[in-house]
Amino acid sequence: MVTKIIKSLNVNCIVWQRNYYEHIIRNDNSYYKIVEYIENNPERWYEDKFYCGNNYDI
């Protein structure tokens, strides 16, 4: 539905992240890696290739 609305507005932007997939947590090790990623990822934003120094910094 979101994609249809955006296309109807002729907005030229990417709506969905390419190659996104969900990950099934199968064991404790997998769980802890995902938790670590979620907790620490915001701190890495400044190193990301898409960071542009906008006013929405964390």
Side-chain angles (χ1 to χ4, degrees), residues 23-35:
H23 180 81
I24 298 172
I25 300 173
R26 299 185 189 277
N27 56 44
D28 287 347
N29 189 38
S30 178
Y31 170 78
Y32 290 120
K33 284 183 179 182
I34 292 168
V35 168

Side-chain angles (χ1 to χ4, degrees), residues 2-49:
V2 171
T3 302
K4 286 184 179 185
I5 292 170
I6 289 177
K7 286 183 179 182
S8 73
L9 297 172
N10 292 323
V11 176
N12 186 18
C13 68
I14 297 172
V15 178
W16 306 113
Q17 181 179 353
R18 295 187 71 199
N19 299 327
Y20 173 80
Y21 65 96
E22 294 188 24
H23 180 81
I24 298 172
I25 300 173
R26 299 185 189 277
N27 56 44
D28 287 347
N29 189 38
S30 178
Y31 170 78
Y32 290 120
K33 284 183 179 182
I34 292 168
V35 168
E36 189 273 334
Y37 175 82
I38 291 170
E39 288 179 345
N40 295 320
N41 197 45
E43 295 172 9
R44 297 184 204 129
W45 173 232
Y46 301 105
E47 301 166 9
D48 193 279
K49 67 180 179 180

